[in-house]
Amino acid sequence: MHSEPESPLPISEDPAGVRGFREATGSPQAEVRLDMAKVSTLISRNVTIGGHRTSCRLEPFMWDALYDICARERVTIHSLCTRISERKDANTSLTAAIRVFALAYFRAAATEEGHMKASHGNGNPFTKTPFDSEEQPSEQVVSLRRSVG
């Protein structure tokens, strides 16, 4: 007869209630995988690439960044994505290429003055980002500036 292996976690510490669910249903087939219980934060939108409609799944902040780029450059999301697609490596997915493009676009625009206005360089890289928790770093701030020349 088959017996299930003993889990190292007591039922009170079962992170997703998987054992409780399995025990309630009495069926190992009813077990829910932990990673399948997560809800995706990606947003899927249709874009037209070279006249063909396709969908891209990106984070909301990435979509915002793309629309900001489109507004600044006075192009449509479709023409921008088409141009990214034409320039990407054949082995790279469109969504990966879009993410790299957006990062490179804003990184090229970053200046020391802009970093100072955003309060960067004070040991808290999360300032004015979606990950900002208003906490001050507990680690010692180390200067890693490259010397010029």
Side-chain angles (χ1 to χ4, degrees):
M1 191 158 140
H2 179 309
S3 66
E4 293 190 29
E6 189 67 28
S7 173
L9 291 176
I11 289 177
S12 63
E13 295 180 29
D14 185 8
V18 171
R19 262 186 288 150
F21 179 76
R22 185 175 52 213
E23 289 167 1
T25 61
S27 168
Q29 287 79 19
E31 181 176 344
V32 178
R33 287 187 42 200
L34 293 177
D35 59 348
M36 292 182 74
K38 295 178 184 175
V39 176
S40 176
T41 59
L42 299 177
I43 295 175
S44 185
R45 294 199 177 142
N46 290 324
V47 292
T48 303
I49 306 293
H52 300 284
R53 192 173 81 167
T54 189
S55 63
C56 291
R57 289 173 36 95
L58 296 168
E59 298 79 5
F61 280 97
M62 198 56 66
W63 284 116
D64 289 347
L66 279 180
Y67 282 111
D68 288 348
I69 293 168
C70 288
R72 179 174 299 278
E73 300 298 331
R74 297 182 186 96
V75 297
T76 67
I77 191 77
H78 308 292
S79 64
L80 179 62
C81 289
T82 296
R83 292 167 72 182
I84 293 169
S85 179
E86 291 168 350
R87 289 164 174 78
K88 75 176 186 65
D89 184 85
N91 296 324
T92 302
S93 70
L94 178 61
T95 54
I98 289 170
R99 286 184 181 102
V100 169
F101 167 78
L103 176 65
Y105 181 90
F106 286 109
R107 190 169 181 209
T111 63
E112 283 302 315
E113 182 182 348
H115 285 297
M116 294 299 284
K117 286 181 181 178
S119 301
H120 294 166
N122 296 319
N124 185 0
F126 303 107
T127 302
K128 297 189 180 178
T129 71
F131 303 100
D132 191 359
S133 66
E134 304 290 329
E135 294 178 11
Q136 293 302 314
S138 59
E139 307 91 31
Q140 180 181 1
V141 177
V142 178
S143 177
L144 298 175
R145 300 243 184 238
R146 295 182 200 152
S147 59
V148 179

